[in-house]
Amino acid sequence: MCGIVGYSGGQSAIAPLLEGLRRLEYRGYDSAGIALGTASKLFVEKRAGKLSNLEAELKGSLPSAHSGIGHTRWATHGGPTDKNAHPHLDNEGKLAVIHNGIIENYTQLRAELEHRGHSFSSDTDTESVAHLLSELRKKHGGDLAAAMREAVTLLRGSFTLLAIHADAPQTIVGVRRNSPLVVGIGKGENFMASDVAAFIDYTKRAIELGQDEVVTITPEKVSITDLNGIAVVPKEYEITWDASAAEKGGFNHFMLKEIFEQPKAVADTLLGRLSPSNQIVLDELRLSTEEIKALKKIVLLACGTAYHAGMLAKYAIEKWAKISVEVELASEFRYRDPLIDSSTLVIAISQSGETMDTLMALRHAKAAGARILAVCNTNSSTIPRESDAVLYTHAGPEIAVASTKAFLTQVIAVYVIGLYLAQVRGIMGNDQVKELFNEMSALPSKIEQVLETVEPLRKLTRGFAQSTSVLFLGRHVGFPVALEGALKLKELAYMHAEGFAGGELKHGPIALIEPGTPVIAILPTGHDHGLDEKMLSNIQEVKARGARVIVIADEGVEVTGAEHIIRIPTTPALFQPILATVPLQVFAYEMAVTRGNDVDQPRNLAKSVTVE
Ligand code: F6R
């Protein structure tokens, strides 16, 4: 939450700062601001609302500056107003700070600083840091990095901070604790940002920063120290995707582009995972055969959409690998004394790799002795870095706030883990693994087939735009799909939407059905336990009470009671969610478009949730 960018180089700073903020706007869009490194006094502009408000304000003549910091905000402390927008300044207007995260002890800090004569002009936790740094910089004879090192020892909470001072405007100092910050190394220019996307147009060389590391950039130099001022050897890496991946590529919205990228994302995530001798290749797991056989339990930790991927993993891993699986909302996990030890494998699923709830749950599990595997889409983010092992999904950058391609690849990744565990534990033979893997490999072209129906699906959706509430029904793996469909609709269309297990209807939710209520039902694949027939009965039950029923069903299966049928290609039951989710993504997308909502940046949300 909150996007941060810093630039120091030879060109005018305004372009890299604003382009960087545009790329980071997915992280928060309540307000935006910049401070330009102009001598004697900084030039600062900030505005409530989206980046475009700030850009409009910056039209006209700007002072010449070759350095600066920029911020796009997801409000925590203090409402989304001009005065609470970052950067925040010291009383001389010479030092500016931007911040992502929360300073937990800011009330006490503020009281102390006010007592010492500082006057505050915002309601934020961040402003305390600007005043604190101002004091400490004087104490350290104008050394901003030294001031930052001492300031950090006085702060509690999670933060990335960048600071600039008018007396040495080409020097930008940053620090991170439990919040992301990466450095971009250019030629005669250097960058800092929450995410490499901010500077991908300028350089593909990046440095990851560890906890409590303080970094200083000037046009020529990047220096990193720990809090004692001891130099840290930089860990440089190459960014493997290019700027076009972070552009809309002819689509009206990133979300639609990302929906259409799903066949490739799924194929890329499967690439190289089956050896010619039909062994699942998963060297990343870094567990010996003995360790895998000794595992007693798997615990999946995730939030939101990633949690739904975790729910699906339970069906697959328990069926294939015959090992008990628990799925936990990461935000709840550590508050109930979970029973985990060294015989537990914890899988943390996160697109961003920065979700604070998931990170905290992971740390709790690690402290209890569990082995941690991250399933993540973002290279070198915090969750993989703090895990024992990582399996990267290959969805590419996901910019739209609502997760689409990341979800499908998360499901694929956890299914690959399931097959691997089944094979290593000797529960599944190579032929069976090969057969299932081949079915998974056929999914990209089946998703393509679903995508061919996008236009009729959009038309169908528009017919329901006046509804106030939509219910989603699923059974077995269709249940997490129903939850995912409802979550997408809530976050994008701002409609009441709920997902239910079909069997639960009669235990209460059926009372929600009124004449005309849209119900989207996912018909289970095959006749296992007669679930398809049970769902058809559920459809009749809601229809009898006036619901307008849309059914998602495999090709060729007879469906009764539906007003509309959305056909998806047939695939084995466990893989059906990969196909059935796609029409639900399109439904939510189109509903948001029809209602005039901001599809890529829905209200109140942010892509990377770095607060608990
Ligand atoms: C919904 C959505 C969120 C995320 C959740 C976890 O469309 O995107 O529910 O799935 O915030 O985020 P990650 O996967 O980054 O940990």
Side-chain angles (χ1 to χ4, degrees), residues 425-481:
R425 288 162 71 85
I427 296 177
M428 249 190 219
N430 290 3
D431 288 350
Q432 207 185 345
V433 166
K434 179 184 170 195
E435 196 182 314
L436 286 166
F437 192 88
N438 287 345
E439 289 287 357
M440 276 207 277
S441 303
L443 289 170
S445 71
K446 292 183 181 179
I447 303 169
E448 299 272 12
Q449 286 177 51
V450 180
L451 291 174
E452 280 163 19
T453 67
V454 160
E455 285 314 316
L457 246 164
R458 292 178 70 174
K459 191 161 170 247
L460 171 72
T461 308
R462 293 195 282 273
F464 289 89
Q466 301 311 318
S467 307
T468 49
S469 170
V470 180
L471 306 185
F472 294 78
L473 298 184
R475 280 177 175 265
H476 187 246
V477 288
F479 173 42
V481 175

Side-chain angles (χ1 to χ4, degrees), residues 302-307 349-355 358 383 398 401-404 410 484 487-488 491 606-609:
C303 302
T305 287
Y307 173 74
I349 310 174
S350 175
Q351 186 287 129
S352 61
E354 301 292 348
T355 301
T358 310
I383 288 174
E398 193 180 61
V401 164
S403 186
T404 53
Q410 284 162 352
E484 176 60 9
L487 176 60
K488 287 283 101 86
E491 68 181 319
K607 181 93 186 141
S608 191
V609 186

Side-chain angles (χ1 to χ4, degrees), residues 5-8 13 17 34-37 65-70 162 164 169-170 172:
V5 60
Y7 173 80
S8 183
L17 290 180
I34 54 161
L36 294 178
H66 299 99
S67 63
I69 56 178
L162 295 194
I164 184 170
Q170 290 284 90
I172 299 173

Side-chain angles (χ1 to χ4, degrees), residues 37-252:
T38 38
S40 77
K41 203 162 187 235
L42 299 172
F43 171 87
V44 176
E45 194 62 75
K46 47 192 197 171
R47 279 290 171 269
K50 296 208 165 189
L51 179 61
S52 50
N53 292 0
L54 174 71
E55 283 172 325
E57 208 53 45
L58 290 172
K59 291 234 160 67
S61 66
L62 284 174
S64 144
H66 299 99
S67 63
I69 56 178
H71 187 268
T72 177
R73 178 169 187 243
W74 187 84
T76 56
H77 293 67
T81 57
D82 286 354
K83 77 168 182 182
N84 289 332
H86 300 211
H88 290 284
L89 299 173
D90 67 351
N91 284 145
E92 290 156 27
K94 291 188 99 174
L95 185 146
V97 168
I98 51 176
H99 168 217
N100 169 30
I102 290 177
I103 309 293
E104 284 165 3
N105 56 332
Y106 82 101
T107 327
Q108 182 201 338
L109 278 175
R110 181 172 177 146
E112 288 166 6
L113 286 157
E114 280 176 332
H115 186 68
R116 294 202 292 272
H118 296 263
S119 62
F120 280 66
S121 50
S122 78
D123 312 318
T124 64
D125 50 345
T126 308
E127 196 184 345
S128 320
V129 183
H131 295 286
L132 180 64
L133 273 176
S134 178
E135 269 189 5
L136 293 172
R137 185 181 165 278
K138 282 178 194 145
K139 175 179 158 188
H140 289 280
D143 184 339
L144 188 56
M148 186 68 94
R149 282 192 284 272
E150 185 172 344
V152 167
T153 62
L154 304 172
L155 304 180
R156 284 205 316 271
S158 65
F159 44 80
T160 299
L161 295 162
L162 295 194
I164 184 170
H165 194 281
D167 287 353
Q170 290 284 90
T171 301
I172 299 173
V173 176
V175 68
R176 69 169 286 265
R177 177 185 292 168
N178 293 332
S179 189
L181 180 62
V182 281
V183 177
I185 313 164
K187 290 201 177 89
E189 57 184 4
N190 290 306
F191 305 79
M192 284 195 257
S194 312
D195 177 342
V196 295
F199 51 72
I200 185 80
D201 281 327
Y202 299 93
T203 180
K204 291 199 164 180
R205 290 175 64 202
I207 296 175
E208 61 178 64
L209 289 180
Q211 283 288 75
D212 283 344
E213 286 178 356
V214 175
V215 57
T216 306
I217 62 165
T218 62
E220 301 80 28
K221 211 170 160 215
V222 173
S223 41
I224 306 171
T225 70
D226 64 15
L227 292 188
N228 298 315
I230 312 276
V232 171
V233 181
K235 280 191 225 131
E236 192 179 322
Y237 66 99
E238 181 91 8
I239 304 161
T240 50
W241 47 274
D242 59 38
S244 64
E247 297 294 341
K248 282 187 200 144
F251 287 89
N252 282 341

Side-chain angles (χ1 to χ4, degrees), residues 398-432:
E398 193 180 61
I399 312 279
V401 164
S403 186
T404 53
K405 59 177 181 169
F407 173 67
L408 292 204
T409 57
Q410 284 162 352
V411 179
I412 292 291
V414 289
Y415 279 13
V416 168
I417 294 169
L419 286 182
Y420 180 73
L421 296 177
Q423 198 165 41
V424 175
R425 288 162 71 85
I427 296 177
M428 249 190 219
N430 290 3
D431 288 350
Q432 207 185 345

